[in-house]
Amino acid sequence: MANSKQQLDIPFIPSLGTSGVVYSQSVQNQNNGLLRLFFTKLLNAIQSVIGPMGGKYLNNPYGAFQDSTDQVAANTTTAYAVTFNTTDFSNGVTIASGSRITVADAGIWNLQFSIQFTNTTNSSQDVDVWFRVNGTNVANSNSRFGFAPRKSAGDPYHTIAAMNYFVSLNATDYVQIMWRPTDVGVTIEQYAAGTSPTRPAVPSAIVTMSFVSNLPTL
């Protein structure tokens, strides 16, 4: 029986003996013993997976990425892809070309992101954030976030845009997070680690991808 600190004990297929033309009770007893051991180990493995703590034995694909740079829009009529320059975790999910969240396996995936936006203008602004799969916009995937004017010239308005989304992907497909502000004064900002008290840096963007299920077949 497996425990939380070891892998499952997966049984090998038993090598059964043959009795030839004449029935052999000793061979039959040996085979029965091998089969009993095999099915006992197999049952223990199945019970470990479907039990209350079984999830710890599953190896589902996932990925987690972040970015440590400021990201800006040159104009308000172009769609820009959010980029990531740091891989925190990767198991069947990778970043390609800076913005392409690429999966190795087909399935239903849960994409979650948080983006640190700032508004440096004196007016209220909006930003649209949506998804593309293999370069094509995903229908009905857009979200609009509204930002208050800046507090002062040296203190812009800060807010986090965050959401999660289920997306159906084939093997080697990629997803991009796109954005477009109503003013170029809206940017994606990172902030350095702070002091008094000591506190971590603020990534400009964070994204995770988690495998949910195989693609349904009808």
Side-chain angles (χ1 to χ4, degrees), residues 2 24 29 41 48 51 61 73 94 102 122 125 127 150 168 175 201 204 210 213:
S24 171
N29 291 339
K41 289 186 175 181
S48 295
T94 56
T102 307
N122 291 317
Q125 302 295 343
V127 64
R150 68 183 186 183
S168 174
V175 184
S204 56
S210 303
S213 170

Side-chain angles (χ1 to χ4, degrees), residues 2-8 48-49 51-60:
N3 59 48
S4 61
K5 294 184 179 180
Q6 70 182 92
Q7 298 294 314
L8 289 174
S48 295
V49 171
M53 299 291 289
K56 64 179 175 288
Y57 298 113
L58 301 180
N59 183 21
N60 290 328

Side-chain angles (χ1 to χ4, degrees), residues 81-152:
V82 179
T83 58
F84 303 92
N85 64 5
T86 302
T87 297
D88 294 319
F89 302 97
S90 178
N91 181 31
V93 185
T94 56
I95 289 289
S97 303
S99 66
R100 299 180 177 183
I101 307 162
T102 307
V103 301
D105 301 295
I108 306 297
W109 292 83
N110 183 22
L111 186 156
Q112 295 182 287
F113 72 80
S114 63
I115 303 174
Q116 177 69 67
F117 281 107
T118 63
N119 178 19
T120 63
T121 75
N122 291 317
S123 303
S124 299
Q125 302 295 343
D126 296 322
V127 64
D128 289 335
V129 181
W130 69 98
F131 304 110
R132 283 181 178 175
V133 172
N134 299 333
T136 300
N137 289 337
V138 177
N140 304 313
S141 68
N142 194 19
S143 296
R144 180 164 295 175
F145 300 91
F147 310 131
R150 68 183 186 183
K151 302 172 185 177
S152 65

